[in-house]
Amino acid sequence: MGDSLPFLVMVLLQAGYAGMNILSKLAMNSGMNPLIHVAYRQIFAAVVLVPFAYFLERKTRPRMTLPIFLQIFLSSIFGLTLNQLTYFVGLSHSTPTIACALTNLLPAVTFLMAVPCRLESVAIKSRSGQAKVVGTIVCVGGAMLLSFYHGSQVPIGESKIHWNYIIRNSRNSTNQTNHHNFMLGPFLLIASPVCWAVWFILQAKMSSTYPAPYSSSALMCLMASFQCVIIGLVSDHHISSWSLNPPIRALSSIYAGVVCNALSYCLMSWCIKRKGPLYVSVFSPFLLVIVAILSWALLEEKLYVGTVAGSGLIVTGLYTVLWGKKEEMISLANDFKIKHVEEFDIAKLENGDIEFVKCEK
């Protein structure tokens, strides 16, 4: 049960994220402004996280300083506000399948941005370095193919599920979209993992200076709530636009904030402690499969050759990057005479030295 429980948790998490994509798309199809949807998501996430942070870390929380506060503020801007605004606005102009496929660019984008910050090494002469570079190129190529080429429709037939509410809202949304929407959507969805990668780099530094993950997450959600509410009010200050009626708007906002912000963070942190970050990363493409099936079954989404081929390249590139990262860990582990590398995570110290941190069991 010890090894199967993290697997079950990660599968359920991907299913949870798939539900968020479908519900959020339905909410925006009903006319909900994606900027307002993100604002509500941050508010509900903060409401859930603040009590947990207070009670779980009230005795271990480090003292807040101005540099740490600024780090958390920047993390809230890139990791929550910009990341989610670009994602959900992009989702409103695209499809859940394309959105999930482009999210898998994250490891490649993080690698590209971490190299100049000296958080990652290229080592182009090694197999691991070559794999990371090739995987990054394949990921970017897949993203370009998916964004700019549709091709013919994949003949998979039509879904036998007919939910009148979903069909009506999906058709209304289809009638309102145009060519510029489909160009804007992928562009914003590519910008989202770029913002997320910046957040990873900021978190790599903050995790050592402020080791209180629940408190930092709660503060980030609180700051992002104010940021997103201000942005939402500037974009649409009509009170009626902030209504959570029809109920799909309330359901999607609460679900996204509670399940996909607060609960998912706690579960992923637990899995990272048990199995390491590489284990958590390999489940990302599973989300794409679930969303593609649900979008076809519920939203009448059509699959095109460009979407399938681009998604395949992105997933291939993702696993190539992850394989290169694993080979790098094995090579370093041999130098450190560590036998079971899967039980450890690499931590790069400020002076450039490498340290292996044992994952908790």
Side-chain angles (χ1 to χ4, degrees), residues 196-215:
W196 209 353
V198 174
W199 179 77
F200 277 153
I201 294 171
L202 291 170
Q203 286 295 106
K205 190 172 185 64
M206 192 174 68
S207 60
S208 59
T209 57
Y210 193 74
Y214 296 108
S215 298

Side-chain angles (χ1 to χ4, degrees), residues 28-347:
M28 287 180 282
N29 285 352
S30 74
M32 188 176 194
N33 187 327
L35 304 180
I36 295 175
H37 175 71
V38 173
Y40 274 122
R41 173 176 177 169
Q42 309 298 1
I43 292 171
F44 287 121
V47 169
V48 173
L49 276 175
V50 167
F52 278 96
Y54 176 77
F55 289 107
L56 293 178
E57 295 177 340
R58 59 180 174 177
K59 295 181 179 179
T60 59
R61 188 183 302 112
R63 185 174 64 89
M64 178 62 66
T65 62
L66 182 59
I68 293 174
F69 182 84
L70 291 176
Q71 283 183 337
I72 295 176
F73 179 71
L74 288 174
S75 295
S76 71
I77 291 177
F78 286 98
L80 295 179
T81 301
L82 291 179
N83 170 35
Q84 294 185 12
L85 285 178
T86 52
Y87 182 84
F88 282 102
V89 175
L91 176 62
S92 68
H93 293 303
S94 187
T95 67
T97 302
I98 293 177
C100 291
L102 292 175
T103 301
N104 286 311
L105 283 171
L106 179 61
V109 173
T110 303
F111 170 67
L112 285 174
M113 300 186 70
V115 169
C117 297
R118 296 185 178 181
L119 295 174
E120 285 282 353
S121 58
V122 179
I124 195 62
K125 293 183 179 180
S126 66
R127 288 195 310 168
S128 61
Q130 292 168 0
K132 288 191 288 185
V133 171
V134 171
T136 300
I137 294 173
V138 172
C139 272
V140 173
M144 294 301 101
L145 179 63
L146 184 146
S147 301
F148 300 113
Y149 176 72
H150 272 188
S152 58
Q153 184 176 320
V154 179
I156 57 174
E158 294 185 359
S159 170
K160 302 299 182 182
I161 301 175
H162 298 288
W163 188 354
N164 291 333
Y165 176 81
I166 293 179
I167 293 174
R168 183 174 62 254
N169 281 284
S170 297
R171 287 174 177 168
N172 289 339
S173 175
T174 301
N175 293 332
Q176 295 171 1
T177 55
N178 53 48
H179 175 73
H180 297 288
N181 295 143
F182 285 106
M183 296 296 291
L184 177 63
F187 173 78
L188 291 174
L189 291 168
I190 292 173
S192 178
V194 172
C195 296
W196 209 353
V198 174
W199 179 77
F200 277 153
I201 294 171
L202 291 170
Q203 286 295 106
K205 190 172 185 64
M206 192 174 68
S207 60
S208 59
T209 57
Y210 193 74
Y214 296 108
S215 298
S216 61
S217 297
L219 283 172
M220 280 190 286
C221 286
L222 282 172
M223 292 178 182
S225 297
F226 286 106
Q227 295 161 10
C228 293
V229 166
I230 293 172
I231 294 172
L233 288 172
V234 170
S235 68
D236 192 341
H237 56 274
H238 295 95
I239 300 299
S240 59
S241 300
W242 289 79
S243 171
L244 290 177
N245 190 44
I248 189 64
R249 299 186 182 186
L251 176 61
S252 65
S253 299
I254 295 173
Y255 183 94
V258 175
V259 175
C260 299
N261 264 37
L263 181 61
S264 68
Y265 178 85
C266 298
L267 292 177
M268 278 195 291
S269 297
W270 178 81
C271 285
I272 289 173
K273 288 181 179 180
R274 290 287 302 270
K275 306 292 287 186
L278 191 66
Y279 181 86
V280 174
S281 301
V282 300
F283 284 87
S284 297
F286 189 58
L287 171 61
L288 174 59
V289 176
I290 299 176
V291 169
I293 294 173
L294 290 178
S295 297
W296 168 78
L298 299 177
L299 302 182
E300 296 186 335
E301 181 181 330
K302 309 298 182 184
L303 286 181
Y304 297 91
V305 172
T307 304
V308 175
S311 300
L313 285 175
I314 291 174
V315 171
T316 301
L318 166 68
Y319 279 125
T320 304
V321 172
L322 293 176
W323 181 86
K325 186 65 179 176
K326 184 176 181 180
E327 285 294 302
E328 180 185 50
M329 290 183 66
I330 292 174
S331 177
L332 288 170
N334 290 334
D335 294 338
F336 280 77
K337 297 181 179 180
I338 294 176
K339 294 182 179 180
H340 302 288
V341 67
E342 69 276 3
E343 298 179 0
F344 291 83
D345 182 28
I346 295 178

